[in-house]
Amino acid sequence: MMTLLEKRITAALSQREENGLARKMIPFERKQGDMLVHHGQSYLNFSSNDYLGLATDPSLVSAWQDGLSRYGCGSAASPLVTGFHQAHRSLEAQLCEWLGYERAILFSSGFSANQAVIFSLLKKDDLLLQDRLNHASLMEAGALSPARMKRFRHNDMTHLEQLISPDEACLVVTEGVFSMDGDHAPLKDIRRLTAERALMMVDDAHGIGIAGPDGTGSCAASGVKAELLLVTFGKAFGLSGAALLCDQATGDYLMQFARHHVYSTAIPPSQAHALSHALQMIQTQHWRREKLQHLQQCYDDAFSSFAGYVSTPTPVKPLIIGDIESLQTTSEMLKSKGFWVGAIRPPTVPEGTARLRMTLTANHTEMQIHQLASALKESIEVCFDR
Ligand SMILES: Cc1ncc(COP(=O)(O)O)c(C=O)c1O
C-alpha cells in the first residue's frame, strides 16, 4: 500500500513523463576545455556557463591544489563557528574593492544566496517586485516569503513604475543578464524608478566577469550601483559559490540573520583561495572577453538567417524552436553529430518557447561555431523537411 505522499510522488513523475518534460542527469566521463566525453564519445560543449573558459584552466586547477595543500579539504564548520578563514576574508576584501562595496557575504551557491536575501530582508506586508523572467531561486523565495510578491512584465518599465509603492518597504529584483534569453535588464531605468523608493537588487550571475570594464559586470557596464548585488562563481569564475555585495549595515544584518549563511558549512578555504585566483584572472586576462566578443560576432554571422534566431548582446544564444518534440529531435540530431547543446523546455521557459540554449565560451573557436551552424542547418532540414 502506498502512502498519500508516495502516491503523489508517483503521480507527479508520471505526469512529467507524459508531458515529455522528464529531465535526465547525465554523468560525463571527462570534461576538458570545450569537450565533453560521454560513453566514450566526444562532444563539443555549447551548453556550459564557463564563459571565460576557466573551469578546466591549468592555472586555476593549480591554485585550488595549492589551496588544498595550505588549508586541507573542508572548512569543517559554518562561518560563525570556525568555518571562516583568512582565505575567505581575503576573497571578500578583493570582491569589495573590485566592485565598490563595503561588504561581501559568501554563500555556497547563488541559489542559497538569493533565498537568504529574500527570506531574511522581507517581512509580512513588505512588497517584492520581480521581473517575471527572474531565476527560479528568486521566484521560489518570493513565493514562499511572507512579503507580497508581484511580477512585472519582462523589462517593462511602465509596468514596474505602476507597481512600485513608496509607502511600503519595497525590494525590486532583476537579473543583469537573463539566463535563458541572453538579454540585458534596463538597469539605468530600474535605478531611476527605484531611487529613494525601493531597494534594488541585481542578480548578475551571467554578467559578472563578462560585461563592464575588467568584467565588473552589468551594473558597472550601465553606470549603475544597486544596493544589493549578487555574483555567482559557477559561471565566469569557473568554480562554484556566490557572494552578496552590499553596505556595512546590510552585511552585518545578513551575517546575523541570513539562515543560509549562519546554518550552512562555509565553502572550503581552498576554494576561496582558488576563487581569489580566478578573480585575478578575470581582472587581468582581457583577451578572454575580447575573444568572446569576437565569437559572438561569428555566431551572429553564422546564425542570423535561422528561423528562431534571437540577437543577444551576450554569450547566451537562444534559438527558439517552439514545441518540445521538435526541440528534442533537433537536440538529439545535434548530439549524433557531436554537439552538446542545451535543450530548454517549460517550465524553465514559457510554454511554446522551448529552445536550444547555446552558450559561447572563450575556449571555442570560430571554426567550431561554423561547424555547429552547419550541423544545425542539416538537423533542421532533416527534422522539419525545411
Ligand atoms: C540568474 C541565476 N541566478 C542564480 C543562479 C544560481 O546560482 P548557483 O548555480 O550558484 O546556485 C543561477 C544558476 O544557474 C542563475 O542563472
Side-chain angles (χ1 to χ4, degrees), residues 49 108-114 134-138 175-180 203-206 230 232-235 240-242 357:
N49 296 318
S108 49
S109 73
F111 200 103
S112 62
N114 277 339
N134 276 357
H135 189 255
S137 51
L138 292 162
E175 294 188 20
V177 170
F178 286 87
S179 54
M180 295 299 141
D203 172 346
D204 207 21
H206 296 269
L230 176 84
T232 66
F233 304 136
K235 295 159 175 61
S240 69
R357 175 181 182 267

Side-chain angles (χ1 to χ4, degrees), residues 34 45 48-53 292 295 315 359-364:
D34 53 16
N45 186 4
S48 87
N49 296 318
D50 181 23
Y51 301 118
L52 297 180
L292 210 41
L295 293 175
T359 44
L360 307 178
T361 83
N363 280 331
H364 287 131

Side-chain angles (χ1 to χ4, degrees), residues 85-104:
H85 196 280
Q86 200 53 45
H88 299 99
R89 166 96 344 129
S90 163
L91 172 63
E92 287 179 355
Q94 281 174 280
L95 288 166
C96 286
E97 194 186 336
W98 185 46
L99 298 170
Y101 283 84
E102 290 171 356
R103 288 293 300 273

Side-chain angles (χ1 to χ4, degrees), residues 43-44 46 331 334-335 337-341 368 371-372 375:
Y43 298 88
L44 250 177
F46 278 97
S331 99
L334 281 172
K335 263 185 207 141
K337 293 173 187 294
F339 296 90
W340 205 283
V341 170
Q368 289 168 341
Q371 287 167 341
L372 174 65

Side-chain angles (χ1 to χ4, degrees), residues 53-365:
L54 298 192
T56 56
D57 185 279
S59 104
L60 189 52
V61 173
S62 308
W64 202 335
Q65 283 163 341
D66 179 43
L68 285 167
S69 316
R70 289 174 192 231
Y71 310 116
C73 297
S75 68
S78 56
L80 299 186
V81 181
T82 54
F84 192 67
H85 196 280
Q86 200 53 45
H88 299 99
R89 166 96 344 129
S90 163
L91 172 63
E92 287 179 355
Q94 281 174 280
L95 288 166
C96 286
E97 194 186 336
W98 185 46
L99 298 170
Y101 283 84
E102 290 171 356
R103 288 293 300 273
I105 307 283
L106 300 176
F107 291 87
S108 49
S109 73
F111 200 103
S112 62
N114 277 339
Q115 302 242 313
V117 172
I118 288 179
F119 288 139
S120 57
L121 287 189
L122 297 176
K123 307 285 176 225
K124 190 167 172 298
D125 297 330
D126 292 346
L127 179 62
L128 169 64
L129 301 179
Q130 301 215 54
D131 187 291
R132 67 183 300 278
L133 294 191
N134 276 357
H135 189 255
S137 51
L138 292 162
M139 285 306 179
E140 191 200 62
L144 298 176
S145 148
R148 271 186 318 127
M149 177 170 77
K150 290 188 182 167
R151 303 187 305 167
F152 55 94
R153 287 187 292 274
H154 179 51
N155 283 349
D156 184 335
M157 295 300 98
T158 311
H159 194 199
L160 174 59
E161 187 163 21
Q162 284 162 4
L163 296 177
I164 286 188
S165 156
D167 303 327
E168 287 165 287
C170 178
L171 175 67
V172 175
V173 189
T174 182
E175 294 188 20
V177 170
F178 286 87
S179 54
M180 295 299 141
D181 291 74
D183 56 342
H184 288 303
L187 295 175
K188 258 193 161 68
D189 295 334
I190 297 180
R191 182 68 290 178
R192 184 178 46 78
L193 291 179
T194 49
E196 292 174 19
R197 299 162 90 193
L199 287 192
M200 173 177 177
M201 173 172 172
V202 176
D203 172 346
D204 207 21
H206 296 269
I208 195 71
I210 301 143
D214 301 335
T216 39
S218 307
C219 290
S222 305
V224 157
K225 184 163 177 187
E227 282 85 10
L228 300 161
L229 172 66
L230 176 84
V231 299
T232 66
F233 304 136
K235 295 159 175 61
F237 276 74
L239 288 145
S240 69
L244 197 275
L245 290 120
C246 54
D247 66 7
Q248 190 69 42
T250 313
D252 287 347
Y253 179 88
L254 290 174
M255 201 184 81
Q256 299 297 329
F257 299 111
R259 290 165 173 271
H260 302 69
H261 181 257
V262 178
Y263 297 109
S264 187
T265 302
I267 58 169
S270 59
Q271 187 180 336
H273 179 77
L275 282 163
S276 289
H277 186 79
L279 176 51
Q280 275 170 20
M281 293 173 81
I282 290 174
Q283 288 171 317
T284 55
Q285 299 183 358
H286 304 286
W287 65 266
R288 293 181 188 271
R289 279 180 289 279
E290 284 157 16
K291 179 154 178 220
L292 210 41
Q293 278 291 337
H294 172 66
L295 293 175
Q296 281 173 227
Q297 186 57 56
C298 299
Y299 177 91
D300 290 337
D301 295 345
F303 284 82
S304 55
S305 60
F306 283 72
Y309 161 84
V310 181
S311 163
T312 72
T314 66
V316 178
K317 303 294 181 196
L319 193 109
I320 312 296
I321 300 286
D323 68 286
I324 298 163
E325 259 172 42
S326 309
L327 175 70
Q328 204 66 31
T329 320
T330 318
S331 99
E332 286 308 322
M333 282 288 279
L334 281 172
K335 263 185 207 141
S336 71
K337 293 173 187 294
F339 296 90
W340 205 283
V341 170
I344 314 289
R345 299 162 301 172
T348 308
V349 290
E351 285 296 333
T353 72
R355 65 195 65 184
L356 294 172
R357 175 181 182 267
M358 291 168 273
T359 44
L360 307 178
T361 83
N363 280 331
H364 287 131
T365 64

